[in-house]
mmCIF file of all heavy atoms in Angstrom:
data_model
loop_
_atom_site.group_PDB
_atom_site.id
_atom_site.type_symbol
_atom_site.label_atom_id
_atom_site.label_comp_id
_atom_site.label_asym_id
_atom_site.label_seq_id
_atom_site.Cartn_x
_atom_site.Cartn_y
_atom_site.Cartn_z
ATOM 1 N N VAL B 297 -99.540 -19.060 -173.740
ATOM 2 C CA VAL B 297 -99.955 -19.969 -174.822
ATOM 3 C C VAL B 297 -100.476 -19.137 -175.987
ATOM 4 O O VAL B 297 -100.214 -19.495 -177.128
ATOM 5 C CB VAL B 297 -101.043 -20.874 -174.297
ATOM 6 C CG1 VAL B 297 -101.599 -21.659 -175.497
ATOM 7 C CG2 VAL B 297 -100.617 -21.751 -173.225
ATOM 8 N N SER B 298 -100.885 -17.985 -175.618
ATOM 9 C CA SER B 298 -101.454 -17.131 -176.689
ATOM 10 C C SER B 298 -100.377 -16.508 -177.645
ATOM 11 O O SER B 298 -100.592 -15.876 -178.637
ATOM 12 C CB SER B 298 -102.296 -16.038 -176.078
ATOM 13 O OG SER B 298 -101.416 -15.259 -175.372
ATOM 14 N N GLN B 299 -99.181 -16.725 -177.219
ATOM 15 C CA GLN B 299 -98.183 -16.090 -178.005
ATOM 16 C C GLN B 299 -97.972 -16.819 -179.225
ATOM 17 O O GLN B 299 -98.531 -17.877 -179.617
ATOM 18 C CB GLN B 299 -96.786 -16.130 -177.165
ATOM 19 C CG GLN B 299 -95.720 -16.916 -177.670
ATOM 20 C CD GLN B 299 -94.626 -17.040 -176.589
ATOM 21 O OE1 GLN B 299 -94.825 -17.045 -175.450
ATOM 22 N NE2 GLN B 299 -93.407 -17.047 -176.989
ATOM 23 N N SER B 300 -97.101 -16.251 -180.108
ATOM 24 C CA SER B 300 -96.986 -16.845 -181.380
ATOM 25 C C SER B 300 -96.639 -18.233 -181.415
ATOM 26 O O SER B 300 -95.748 -18.591 -180.648
ATOM 27 C CB SER B 300 -95.966 -16.019 -182.258
ATOM 28 O OG SER B 300 -94.943 -16.839 -182.589
ATOM 29 N N PRO B 301 -97.211 -19.053 -182.278
ATOM 30 C CA PRO B 301 -96.890 -20.431 -182.271
ATOM 31 C C PRO B 301 -95.432 -20.704 -182.606
ATOM 32 O O PRO B 301 -94.850 -21.738 -182.149
ATOM 33 C CB PRO B 301 -97.816 -21.011 -183.287
ATOM 34 C CG PRO B 301 -98.692 -19.893 -183.781
ATOM 35 C CD PRO B 301 -98.286 -18.640 -183.204
ATOM 36 N N THR B 302 -94.917 -19.858 -183.253
ATOM 37 C CA THR B 302 -93.462 -19.993 -183.674
ATOM 38 C C THR B 302 -92.643 -20.187 -182.397
ATOM 39 O O THR B 302 -91.932 -21.062 -182.250
ATOM 40 C CB THR B 302 -92.953 -18.743 -184.377
ATOM 41 O OG1 THR B 302 -93.964 -18.239 -185.150
ATOM 42 C CG2 THR B 302 -91.742 -19.045 -185.120
ATOM 43 N N ALA B 303 -92.857 -19.152 -181.551
ATOM 44 C CA ALA B 303 -92.052 -19.207 -180.368
ATOM 45 C C ALA B 303 -92.381 -20.468 -179.583
ATOM 46 O O ALA B 303 -91.468 -21.090 -179.064
ATOM 47 C CB ALA B 303 -92.425 -17.963 -179.506
ATOM 48 N N ARG B 304 -93.553 -20.720 -179.614
ATOM 49 C CA ARG B 304 -93.915 -21.872 -178.763
ATOM 50 C C ARG B 304 -93.362 -23.195 -179.307
ATOM 51 O O ARG B 304 -92.718 -23.958 -178.640
ATOM 52 C CB ARG B 304 -95.488 -22.008 -178.676
ATOM 53 C CG ARG B 304 -95.912 -22.294 -177.294
ATOM 54 C CD ARG B 304 -97.400 -22.537 -177.156
ATOM 55 N NE ARG B 304 -98.191 -21.667 -177.962
ATOM 56 C CZ ARG B 304 -98.943 -22.038 -178.849
ATOM 57 N NH1 ARG B 304 -99.002 -23.225 -179.218
ATOM 58 N NH2 ARG B 304 -99.705 -21.084 -179.605
ATOM 59 N N PHE B 305 -93.543 -23.298 -180.626
ATOM 60 C CA PHE B 305 -93.070 -24.499 -181.193
ATOM 61 C C PHE B 305 -91.564 -24.626 -181.086
ATOM 62 O O PHE B 305 -91.036 -25.582 -180.733
ATOM 63 C CB PHE B 305 -93.461 -24.565 -182.630
ATOM 64 C CG PHE B 305 -94.972 -24.841 -182.739
ATOM 65 C CD1 PHE B 305 -95.542 -24.676 -183.963
ATOM 66 C CD2 PHE B 305 -95.690 -25.262 -181.670
ATOM 67 C CE1 PHE B 305 -96.895 -24.928 -184.131
ATOM 68 C CE2 PHE B 305 -97.002 -25.517 -181.764
ATOM 69 C CZ PHE B 305 -97.623 -25.333 -182.991
ATOM 70 N N SER B 306 -90.965 -23.493 -181.330
ATOM 71 C CA SER B 306 -89.548 -23.572 -181.445
ATOM 72 C C SER B 306 -88.963 -23.891 -180.021
ATOM 73 O O SER B 306 -88.074 -24.640 -179.859
ATOM 74 C CB SER B 306 -88.902 -22.307 -181.869
ATOM 75 O OG SER B 306 -89.419 -21.233 -181.119
ATOM 76 N N SER B 307 -89.631 -23.422 -179.019
ATOM 77 C CA SER B 307 -89.132 -23.742 -177.705
ATOM 78 C C SER B 307 -89.289 -25.220 -177.398
ATOM 79 O O SER B 307 -88.392 -25.868 -176.940
ATOM 80 C CB SER B 307 -89.761 -22.849 -176.614
ATOM 81 O OG SER B 307 -91.164 -22.800 -176.881
ATOM 82 N N GLY B 308 -90.445 -25.606 -177.768
ATOM 83 C CA GLY B 308 -90.667 -27.026 -177.605
ATOM 84 C C GLY B 308 -89.690 -27.923 -178.297
ATOM 85 O O GLY B 308 -89.079 -28.856 -177.847
ATOM 86 N N SER B 309 -89.574 -27.593 -179.536
ATOM 87 C CA SER B 309 -88.772 -28.450 -180.418
ATOM 88 C C SER B 309 -87.339 -28.370 -180.034
ATOM 89 O O SER B 309 -86.568 -29.432 -180.024
ATOM 90 C CB SER B 309 -88.892 -27.911 -181.910
ATOM 91 O OG SER B 309 -88.454 -26.680 -181.928
ATOM 92 N N SER B 310 -86.840 -27.248 -179.650
ATOM 93 C CA SER B 310 -85.442 -27.164 -179.396
ATOM 94 C C SER B 310 -84.989 -28.046 -178.271
ATOM 95 O O SER B 310 -83.952 -28.740 -178.352
ATOM 96 C CB SER B 310 -85.105 -25.740 -178.970
ATOM 97 O OG SER B 310 -85.742 -25.458 -177.795
ATOM 98 N N LEU B 311 -85.860 -28.163 -177.319
ATOM 99 C CA LEU B 311 -85.508 -29.103 -176.205
ATOM 100 C C LEU B 311 -85.465 -30.541 -176.812
ATOM 101 O O LEU B 311 -84.480 -31.161 -176.504
ATOM 102 C CB LEU B 311 -86.667 -29.045 -175.240
ATOM 103 C CG LEU B 311 -86.657 -30.278 -174.389
ATOM 104 C CD1 LEU B 311 -85.465 -30.317 -173.449
ATOM 105 C CD2 LEU B 311 -87.953 -30.496 -173.595
ATOM 106 N N GLU B 312 -86.432 -30.762 -177.517
ATOM 107 C CA GLU B 312 -86.472 -32.108 -178.115
ATOM 108 C C GLU B 312 -85.239 -32.419 -178.811
ATOM 109 O O GLU B 312 -84.526 -33.400 -178.625
ATOM 110 C CB GLU B 312 -87.745 -32.229 -178.938
ATOM 111 C CG GLU B 312 -87.765 -33.516 -179.776
ATOM 112 C CD GLU B 312 -88.223 -34.648 -178.876
ATOM 113 O OE1 GLU B 312 -88.233 -34.496 -177.652
ATOM 114 O OE2 GLU B 312 -88.453 -35.649 -179.492
ATOM 115 N N ALA B 313 -84.924 -31.536 -179.714
ATOM 116 C CA ALA B 313 -83.775 -31.681 -180.547
ATOM 117 C C ALA B 313 -82.521 -31.921 -179.722
ATOM 118 O O ALA B 313 -81.757 -32.792 -179.912
ATOM 119 C CB ALA B 313 -83.602 -30.452 -181.442
ATOM 120 N N PHE B 314 -82.416 -31.051 -178.767
ATOM 121 C CA PHE B 314 -81.191 -31.132 -178.005
ATOM 122 C C PHE B 314 -81.112 -32.359 -177.123
ATOM 123 O O PHE B 314 -80.082 -32.981 -177.076
ATOM 124 C CB PHE B 314 -81.010 -29.864 -177.240
ATOM 125 C CG PHE B 314 -80.094 -29.047 -178.060
ATOM 126 C CD1 PHE B 314 -80.599 -28.162 -178.949
ATOM 127 C CD2 PHE B 314 -78.714 -29.399 -178.060
ATOM 128 C CE1 PHE B 314 -79.697 -27.474 -179.731
ATOM 129 C CE2 PHE B 314 -77.867 -28.747 -178.834
ATOM 130 C CZ PHE B 314 -78.328 -27.769 -179.737
ATOM 131 N N SER B 315 -82.132 -32.610 -176.522
ATOM 132 C CA SER B 315 -81.999 -33.828 -175.563
ATOM 133 C C SER B 315 -81.731 -34.999 -176.387
ATOM 134 O O SER B 315 -80.892 -35.851 -176.018
ATOM 135 C CB SER B 315 -83.242 -33.919 -174.755
ATOM 136 O OG SER B 315 -84.289 -34.118 -175.634
ATOM 137 N N THR B 316 -82.370 -35.111 -177.448
ATOM 138 C CA THR B 316 -82.176 -36.332 -178.217
ATOM 139 C C THR B 316 -80.788 -36.352 -178.830
ATOM 140 O O THR B 316 -80.066 -37.481 -178.740
ATOM 141 C CB THR B 316 -83.161 -36.433 -179.403
ATOM 142 O OG1 THR B 316 -83.181 -35.192 -180.060
ATOM 143 C CG2 THR B 316 -84.558 -36.711 -178.778
ATOM 144 N N VAL B 317 -80.327 -35.316 -179.397
ATOM 145 C CA VAL B 317 -79.035 -35.303 -179.984
ATOM 146 C C VAL B 317 -77.978 -35.630 -178.826
ATOM 147 O O VAL B 317 -77.109 -36.518 -179.071
ATOM 148 C CB VAL B 317 -78.709 -33.961 -180.573
ATOM 149 C CG1 VAL B 317 -77.215 -33.906 -180.874
ATOM 150 C CG2 VAL B 317 -79.489 -33.718 -181.829
ATOM 151 N N GLN B 318 -78.165 -35.015 -177.752
ATOM 152 C CA GLN B 318 -77.309 -35.164 -176.690
ATOM 153 C C GLN B 318 -77.296 -36.639 -176.247
ATOM 154 O O GLN B 318 -76.240 -37.192 -176.080
ATOM 155 C CB GLN B 318 -77.554 -34.322 -175.531
ATOM 156 C CG GLN B 318 -76.559 -34.267 -174.498
ATOM 157 C CD GLN B 318 -75.223 -33.882 -175.106
ATOM 158 O OE1 GLN B 318 -75.107 -32.999 -175.902
ATOM 159 N NE2 GLN B 318 -74.202 -34.477 -174.608
ATOM 160 N N GLU B 319 -78.399 -37.147 -176.175
ATOM 161 C CA GLU B 319 -78.521 -38.499 -175.688
ATOM 162 C C GLU B 319 -77.826 -39.450 -176.686
ATOM 163 O O GLU B 319 -77.083 -40.310 -176.306
ATOM 164 C CB GLU B 319 -80.026 -38.970 -175.543
ATOM 165 C CG GLU B 319 -80.585 -38.522 -174.252
ATOM 166 C CD GLU B 319 -82.073 -38.478 -174.390
ATOM 167 O OE1 GLU B 319 -82.591 -39.095 -175.219
ATOM 168 O OE2 GLU B 319 -82.707 -37.824 -173.542
ATOM 169 N N GLY B 320 -78.013 -39.103 -177.896
ATOM 170 C CA GLY B 320 -77.381 -39.916 -178.908
ATOM 171 C C GLY B 320 -75.872 -39.867 -178.726
ATOM 172 O O GLY B 320 -75.194 -40.924 -178.703
ATOM 173 N N ASN B 321 -75.358 -38.757 -178.546
ATOM 174 C CA ASN B 321 -73.926 -38.594 -178.323
ATOM 175 C C ASN B 321 -73.409 -39.427 -177.167
ATOM 176 O O ASN B 321 -72.402 -40.018 -177.256
ATOM 177 C CB ASN B 321 -73.542 -37.147 -178.093
ATOM 178 C CG ASN B 321 -73.742 -36.370 -179.349
ATOM 179 O OD1 ASN B 321 -73.689 -36.975 -180.465
ATOM 180 N ND2 ASN B 321 -73.906 -35.061 -179.259
ATOM 181 N N LEU B 322 -74.230 -39.383 -176.173
ATOM 182 C CA LEU B 322 -73.734 -39.976 -174.974
ATOM 183 C C LEU B 322 -73.851 -41.450 -174.952
ATOM 184 O O LEU B 322 -73.022 -42.151 -174.466
ATOM 185 C CB LEU B 322 -74.479 -39.369 -173.761
ATOM 186 C CG LEU B 322 -74.041 -38.003 -173.407
ATOM 187 C CD1 LEU B 322 -75.014 -37.433 -172.346
ATOM 188 C CD2 LEU B 322 -72.698 -37.962 -172.841
ATOM 189 N N THR B 323 -74.909 -41.941 -175.508
ATOM 190 C CA THR B 323 -75.103 -43.368 -175.502
ATOM 191 C C THR B 323 -74.537 -44.134 -176.621
ATOM 192 O O THR B 323 -73.450 -44.714 -176.494
ATOM 193 C CB THR B 323 -76.624 -43.618 -175.346
ATOM 194 O OG1 THR B 323 -77.263 -42.987 -176.438
ATOM 195 C CG2 THR B 323 -77.129 -43.171 -174.030
ATOM 196 N N SER B 324 -75.153 -44.052 -177.727
ATOM 197 C CA SER B 324 -74.583 -44.837 -178.841
ATOM 198 C C SER B 324 -74.916 -44.204 -180.208
ATOM 199 O O SER B 324 -75.809 -43.417 -180.324
ATOM 200 C CB SER B 324 -75.182 -46.296 -178.758
ATOM 201 O OG SER B 324 -76.511 -46.175 -179.089
ATOM 202 N N ALA B 325 -74.201 -44.559 -181.141
ATOM 203 C CA ALA B 325 -74.373 -44.079 -182.472
ATOM 204 C C ALA B 325 -75.749 -44.539 -183.008
ATOM 205 O O ALA B 325 -76.362 -43.792 -183.777
ATOM 206 C CB ALA B 325 -73.289 -44.466 -183.392
#
Side-chain angles (χ1 to χ4, degrees):
Chain B
V297 175
S298 62
Q299 118 190 31
S300 114
T302 324
R304 224 183 317 119
F305 288 167
S306 53
S307 42
S309 62
S310 65
L311 158 72
E312 169 76 350
F314 262 95
S315 57
T316 49
V317 169
Q318 189 56 39
E319 279 161 16
N321 287 340
L322 285 170
T323 50
S324 68

